[in-house]
Amino acid sequence: MKAIVKSKAEPGLWLEYVPEPEIGINDVLIKIKKTGICGTDLHIYNWDAWAQSTIKVPTVLGHELAGEIVEVGSNVNDFHAGDIVSVEGHLVCGRCRNCLAGRRYKCANTLGFGVNTDGGFAEYIAVPMTNIWKHDPDVNLDVAAIFDPFGNAVHTALAFEVFGEDVLITGAGPIGIMAAAVAKHAGARHVVITDVNPKRLDLARKLGVTYAVDVRDKSIADIQKELGMKEGFDVGMEMSGSPSAFRDMIANMTHGGNVAFLGIPSDEFAINWKTVIFNMLTIKGIYGREMYETWYQMSVLLESGLDIEPVITHRFSYKDFEKGFEVMHDGNSGKVILDWSEI
Ligand code: NAD
Ligand code: ZN
């Protein structure tokens, strides 16, 4: 079958023929329909220090996907050929303390599709049945393909109560923008999102944030004044990985405020811990999605009218994946979808 493969230990990705995956008794075989390109895929394409230390070549890339089940293992009773599904991108061990207690998303031995094992930028992927989320048959396939990052957004946005609260989101990448839409939908009062990229701030405005701010032009303290806020943001969502963004956030939270931290900083960095202590802030790290509470919330949010489709800005055939990576590289895109329907 055709697949987009990291087959050489150097920058780039290659469309190649690889063997079709075989399923075990607990697995399902999925024919891929649509895939999303993630920032992680870009790191692997670029072959940066993280990718060099993490990826073994050859590996089929891709963990954001939607497809149709075409075959199930002999032990699989709940899924059937014809089901439209997405895949939870984290493979958990099932045997550690958290897995055994049902807290699978806190597994001590998590592996990732398209990172540690072969992924879904291919005609087919074989996946354990415990990693499947079944959609309504009429689901928008482009949206289904980005359930993985949408799940990061929902996991972060609903980590703390946002109803009636003022929310600050640093980083208007696709995940920050989706989190803003979720917070608004869940009843937040003001949702302020920051970035340093005007195109991304424009995209955030399209999805209905209260205020999209270029922090090079205006301080968050000024925004608070403009909005008539008096005591700081109640909930913060760090989605840029930028140390300066996080420092700004800490400085603009209300006493007793809650911060959910999803963005991945490239290095260690210092913050003013005195602000965290004296203002009694709570900081919670967020990784992946809750299995499968976040997935349930995602489906329900869409069914109750949340529209995240505008965050998808580019669509290409998988054959033109290079173009997809190019727009991702420029940083002016929202989500980029690859279509696998014409093999
Ligand atoms: P992205 O890189 O597309 O978006 C990050 C945005 O932050 C960019 O638009 C960038 O311009 C902006 N930014 C940079 N400096 C800033 C600053 N000082 N202030 C405000 N904004 C600034 O990433 P994404 O795909 O939307 O993901 C968001 C973050 O979450 C990334 O750091 C990513 O690595 C991380 N991530 C974490 C998980 C997890 O499970 N914890 C999963 C996926 C992604
Ligand atoms: Zn485990």
Side-chain angles (χ1 to χ4, degrees), residues 152 171 173-175 194-195 200 239-240 242 244-245 262-264 286-288:
N152 296 135
I175 299 180
T194 68
D195 206 290
R200 289 212 149 158
M239 304 205 146
S240 72
S242 152
S244 68
L262 178 100
I264 304 175
I286 306 281
Y287 185 48

Side-chain angles (χ1 to χ4, degrees), residues 92-100 104 106-110:
V92 298
C93 75
R95 300 308 307 165
C96 71
R97 176 186 173 178
N98 279 318
C99 279
L100 287 172
R104 284 179 281 176
K106 292 182 179 170
C107 174
N109 306 304
T110 304

Side-chain angles (χ1 to χ4, degrees), residues 38-40 43 90 148-149 152 169-177 194-197 200 213 215 238-245 261-265 286-289 331 333 335:
C38 172
T40 304
H43 287 289
H90 287 173
D148 178 294
N152 296 135
I169 301 176
T170 46
I175 299 180
I177 292 176
T194 68
D195 206 290
V196 290
N197 177 337
R200 289 212 149 158
V213 189
V215 282
E238 204 315 290
M239 304 205 146
S240 72
S242 152
S244 68
F261 202 136
L262 178 100
I264 304 175
I286 306 281
Y287 185 48
R289 300 138 298 277
S333 61
K335 287 305 300 181

Side-chain angles (χ1 to χ4, degrees), residues 8-145:
K8 287 177 253 178
E10 60 185 70
L13 290 171
W14 297 273
L15 185 59
E16 293 177 353
Y17 283 96
V18 300
E20 269 184 31
E22 285 175 18
I23 57 168
I25 59 168
N26 292 314
D27 299 338
V28 306
L29 187 68
I30 301 168
K31 182 164 185 6
I32 303 295
K33 289 182 176 288
K34 301 281 176 83
T35 56
I37 304 179
C38 172
T40 304
D41 303 325
L42 193 60
H43 287 289
I44 299 170
Y45 185 109
N46 293 340
W47 203 232
D48 64 12
W50 168 83
Q52 289 180 33
S53 66
T54 311
I55 308 295
K56 293 194 179 73
V57 293
T59 297
V60 176
L61 242 64
H63 56 274
E64 300 181 4
L65 65 97
E68 179 178 342
I69 294 181
V70 289
E71 195 184 335
V72 302
S74 58
N75 218 16
V76 178
N77 297 312
D78 300 325
F79 300 108
H80 306 280
D83 288 349
I84 300 296
V85 297
S86 288
V87 168
E88 162 56 53
H90 287 173
L91 275 162
V92 298
C93 75
R95 300 308 307 165
C96 71
R97 176 186 173 178
N98 279 318
C99 279
L100 287 172
R103 301 181 293 262
R104 284 179 281 176
Y105 66 102
K106 292 182 179 170
C107 174
N109 306 304
T110 304
L111 297 174
F113 285 109
V115 177
N116 311 106
T117 69
D118 281 338
F121 285 175
E123 287 179 61
Y124 298 96
I125 184 173
V127 171
M129 61 175 156
T130 45
N131 278 70
I132 298 296
W133 183 257
K134 186 177 160 182
H135 292 291
D136 276 348
D138 58 352
V139 70
N140 177 328
L141 285 173
D142 289 356
V143 170

